[in-house]
Amino acid sequence: MISQGIASSLTVEISFWVISISTILSAIAVVQIKDLFRASLFLILTFLGVAGLFILLGAEFLAGIQLMIYVGAISVLIIFAILMTREIEISNQSHYMRILVSMVALGFMLLAISLITSTDWNLIDSRSFPQNQTDEIIATVQNSIPTLSKMLLTEYVLAFEMVGVLLLAAVLGALALVREKK
Amino acid sequence: MNFQEILKYFVYAGMIFTVLAGIAAYLTLMERKVLAWIQQRMGPKYVGFKGILQPLADGIKLVIKEDLLPSWSDRTVYWIAPIAVLVPALLMWVAIPITDGIVLDDSDLGLFYITAISVLTVMGLVMAGWGSANKWAVMGGLRAAGQLVSYEIPFIMSILAIAMLAQSLNLTEIVNQQTTFAFILKQPLAFVIFFIAGLAELGRIPFDIHHAESEVVGGPFVEYSGAHWAVFYLAEYMNTFTVAVLTTILFLGGWVWPQMPFEGSLHDFLSILLFMFKTVAVIYLIFWIRGTYPRLRIDQLMAFGWKLLVPLSFLNVVITSIVLFYGFSHFVLSAVSIFLTGVLFYMISNRSKKYDSGETVRIVSSSQVRDNQNFKEPL
């Protein structure tokens, strides 16, 4: 169940391994499978796996957003684009930039690994909280939506507004593209 | 973690499936009966008393029917598609309460979880369309994707207004907030938008363009037969029931409004009865609309969604937040909401008149054609 999250260790352990292995395998399948439509289905499986990992981390809100935006909107958009393309079954074979692409991908992977290793993950432990705030922290971890929304609309409101401006720009751009020229 | 816990999950899953499948089966009978009444027919009446066993007969027929597979189809995708449609329909019921306490997981994120799961249905329909290797199926799948993604926005926005009003995402808590006034009285506009967008999400008439028989034959389901076809329809009727239950919970006060006069177990029993009565009334309304409205054209459907429902649902959220922020009386909210509902219905009726005059196909009599100066005789 989503709210109980990290209830018993063995379930969490089994689900973690099942979810992460299937996520990695489907991520590999996305780039290896030649049929573009199936590759996009595996992409959806990858998104679902990431949502599952978020749930295991106790971030149910993030998992829901992952489902809504990535599975519900972005992959539908990708599939739309694929179904509109001609000769779907024989595409995905444009390997003439193979070396360049693999170099870029390797670079991104190294960057990600260096970021992961250099991040201080014990964020809660490293700060010294007063004893009376412990309950509050536990409540926040168990139900993160109220805290998250408060932070988004007060302390990090600039980032929130910037996302709004970005979306507005995207809408205006789309309108400018499809507008009939007279 | 032990064996009992795993067994418990399996029992719950089996329970949800069995109950929902039974309800879905009898919804088909109810739909046929309601449509028959509307069209002055008898409806199914031979199997059992007044046709009461008809769903059972239909089920047996569908299961023993031959399952056909088109030779060009993408087999894996073709077989997985019905499951991809059915699973989200079942998953939603983890968080939906029937009455106070009867719910699998009374999560604080219940409403959010349901909206997140409800977007998964699209993929199954697109997969079915693609896997069938049929041009109508692919067209139907694309239409389904376009329609469902468009109508998700007003659907979620109307839910958001209710979550703001209740100050909670927990479904039980939302129902308990409606003890004195159901949210339909405070937010009639959100109710209308939720109901219309819900119909579109279900793909029911008048929003059934993705499996419209006269346009795309059967849409994504055109190649399916037997048990696999039945699974799609099972999911559709389960979703119909889910939307009706959600309407009852979010807008009609669930099991608490209007308040029951008795105490103790009689009170609980009457509450469940009230809840079921409201749900059946909403389902009846859905079937009634199916029986009386024609199907929208695809451009009308998209225009209606994007130009009318989306702006109104955003406006509704803004108005709700203004009323809540400045602490105005909720009567202000009701008044504004009723006014906007009137605007919505005015726009709907006006719009249909505009579309009628601008048809692409016009029916003219032969005399009109003869009198027309520009008309050329066919060679």
Side-chain angles (χ1 to χ4, degrees), chain A residues 11 37-38 44 79 83 145, chain B residues 1 74 76 109 115 123 130:
Chain A
T11 342
F37 186 79
R38 286 193 179 190
I44 292 165
I79 284 183
L83 291 185
I145 288 194
Chain B
M1 185 64 204
D74 190 340
T76 331
L109 283 172
T115 48
M123 292 329 304
W130 173 255

Side-chain angles (χ1 to χ4, degrees), chain B residues 17-28:
Chain B
F17 180 76
T18 321
V19 171
L20 281 179
I23 288 171
Y26 273 89
L27 282 184
T28 61

